[in-house]
Structures are given as structure tokens and as C-alpha cells.
Amino acid sequence: MELSSNFLDLTFYRGRVALYALLKALGIGRGDEVLLQAFTCVAVPESLVAAGVVPRYVDVEVGGYNLSPAALEAAITPATRAIVVQHTFGIPAQMPQIAAVAAKHGLFLIEDCCHTLDSRVAGTTVGSWGIGAFYSYEWGKPVVAGVGGSLTVNDARVKHRVEEIRRSMKKPGSARQLRLGVQYLAHLFIYRPSWYWPIRSLYHHLGAIGAAESNYNPLSAGEPAADFSLQMADVVQRRAEHKLRRLHEITAHSIAITARYAAEIRSGAVIHPERRTDAVPVFARYPLRAGDKAALLAAAKQCGVELAEWYATPVHPLSSAEAARVGYQAGSCPEAEKRCREVVSLPTHRKVTKRDVSRAIDFLNRQLP
Ligand SMILES: *Cc1c(COP(=O)(O)O)cnc(C)c1O
């Protein structure tokens, strides 16, 4: 299968809208439960809630960033219909084990490929393990095209139903498309790793006053947000098509940078992700577990080194009171909460230069355990 040719068959306003459309097409809705990992962002439960589904959180692997196969089975109830599996940071989840659980219990398997289009596990590329997979093209993802998402479906009849659902959706209005275009160009020309911290605070301010497309919609219990009835903006679609043609270059760049992080970061202040013999990860970001996350982030800011903090909470960026509104009970997934207290991550995308990598490595190697 030539994967890169079908990533954009079914495009939506965002990745979360793609997931929403798939749930609808599968007839998953009110009264149903869907399993997902804690240590995720609110986008995922947001689409479950929009579809009327109850999110049920599963803890992550000990020391890892993905769904724990061991914790998965215990979370299944008679109302469970599907499992959303996230390949966090591009590290593929333990798919053979997870697929076996899904098959045993007759559950749909949906892959969250927002962090990777081409990581492999047990000889199979992510996105082809289950009924379908969703992708995102916004800032921080491997392929950046602006706000947008897509869906791949591995079953012809379900795909046909998704196409019908998509046809009933509209394109974003022209004012919104213009804003998305401006935002993308601003990212293209202004952003670079050494300006990460000042740009980050600017973006948060613009989002707060509504001048930038925020990643997080206000959660409402009633009607799904208007975003859930929108297709991908044309400007984003064109850019995504263009960028996906060079996916191999994006991947090669990530692999080269990650190899340096893995080999040259020797600081006792951080722990590298575990290497698995069955997995070929293509990292969207390179995660490290820090002994003192707050101090490390503060030092990185001081030194102008890009170091991200997500996910800072089990349903990022929600506080525990807000997370309870999307069904996450504080304390229920202790490993995920531990990861939130530890994780920092380094960039791997095309704008990261050799010099940026060296600065990040030197910075980390200066930190004391
Ligand atoms: C970005 C992201 C999403 C959602 O993407 P949007 O396009 O913002 O809706 C879903 N899951 C994960 C893990 C993500 O990183």
C-alpha cells in the first residue's frame, strides 16, 4: 500500500473532527464507552464527548508514554465499543498486544496517529492496525500545514459512510481561512527553536484574546462545538498535499536528529525513552523524563533552549477539576500522572538545525542529576 497517497482522502477541520466522523460512521454514540489513554490532550476526549460517548481512561506503560496493554483489559465493560490508541511522540504503542485485546472483546481499534505517519511496530506501519486512524497537521505535528486533520479508514463500507458524513460538513468561512493562512505564514517565518519561549507566550496571549486559533475549545456539555461540522480549509489542504510529498525528508530529518539526542545526551538529569526491538519510532518530539521538571524548564527558558512541557496534566491542559468534566478522575491513572510530572521534550522537525541540536545537548549535559 502506498500510504502517503491516501492520507488526504478524507480531510476535516482538525484531527479531532476526523475522529468524531469515524465514531459517527461506526455508529458509536450515546451510551457507549470508548477507551483512551490518560496522558493525552483534551482534543481526544473532546471528540468523544461531542459524539455523546463516555471516555474511559486507561493508564500508560510503567516508565512509558503509551497505553498499557496490561491495564487495558481491566477497563473494558459491556458498554465499551472501541479503543483509541495513541502513538505518543511518535513512539508506536504495543500494537500486537493491544490488537489481540481488541479482537478478543470485539472492539474497534482506532489509531491516533497525530504524532506520527510512518512509525512502524512489529513490521507494520501505524495506521493500518485497526478500523482507521486519524492525523493532524497543526503546529507540533510531524507535517505542519496549519489547523487540519484527516482520516484513513481500512474498511470500504465504513469509508463510504465517512464520505457521506464528510459531504454533510462545510468548509470554514473565508474570514477563518484567512486567519489560518496568516497564522501558518507567521509560524513559517517567525518560529524557530531559539525563539520558542517568547513565541510561546505571544501565542498564548493571542489565543486568549481570540486572535489566534487556539488548540482548546471551551468544553460544553450541550451541542458539539461548531468545529465538528467543518471540513479542512482549502489553504491547509493545499499545503498538506505539498508537504506530504516530502514526508520522506521530514522523516529522515527526525531520524537524524533523534539519533544525536539518543547518543549524545548523557546527563543524569534525564532518562531516555526505552528502546524496543520490535519498534521503529519516528519521533515528532524526543521525550525525556526529568528528575526535576520545573527546574529544567526554567533553566531551558533562561538559556533559550526549546523544551516543551506537554503533557503537563493527564488530559492536557485541563486542571483536575476540568478533567473531571471529561471523565478523568484525579488519581485514577498514577503512571500517567507521574509522566506528567516528569516529561519534557525536544523538537525534531525541519526547522531544527544542527546548531539547535548541539545547544540542546550541551544544555542538558550541563544539568546535574
Ligand atoms: C494534536 C493532537 C490531536 C488533535 O489534533 P487537532 O488537529 O488539534 O484536533 C489528537 N491527538 C493527539 C495525540 C494530538 O497530539
Side-chain angles (χ1 to χ4, degrees), residues 13-17 40-41 43-44 86 112 114-115 134-138 141 148-149 215 310-311:
Y13 185 58
R14 311 190 76 133
R16 69 197 77 179
V17 184
T40 186
C41 70
V44 186
Q86 178 179 301
D112 180 341
C114 291
H115 294 178
F134 60 102
Y135 300 81
S136 174
Y137 304 96
E138 58 155 20
K141 316 294 173 168
N215 284 341
W310 50 275
Y311 300 122

Side-chain angles (χ1 to χ4, degrees), residues 265-331:
I265 297 170
R266 290 186 213 96
S267 168
V270 291
I271 300 172
H272 286 269
E274 188 201 352
R275 285 169 188 252
R276 283 170 27 219
T277 51
D278 70 333
V280 186
V282 180
F283 286 88
R285 297 189 68 86
Y286 189 74
L288 295 162
R289 293 160 57 200
D292 189 342
K293 174 171 171 171
L296 194 57
L297 286 170
K301 187 172 183 178
Q302 199 79 45
C303 298
V305 167
E306 172 168 346
L307 206 57
E309 61 158 0
W310 50 275
Y311 300 122
T313 67
V315 187
H316 186 87
L318 304 184
S319 66
S320 25
E322 290 168 322
R325 292 173 52 202
V326 287
Y328 182 75
Q329 301 308 325

Side-chain angles (χ1 to χ4, degrees), residues 339-358:
R339 226 39 20 81
C340 295
R341 292 193 296 272
E342 298 171 327
V343 71
V344 295
S345 65
L346 293 163
T348 64
H349 53 73
R350 297 290 299 277
K351 282 201 166 191
V352 182
T353 63
K354 287 201 173 89
R355 189 166 168 270
D356 293 320
V357 176
S358 299

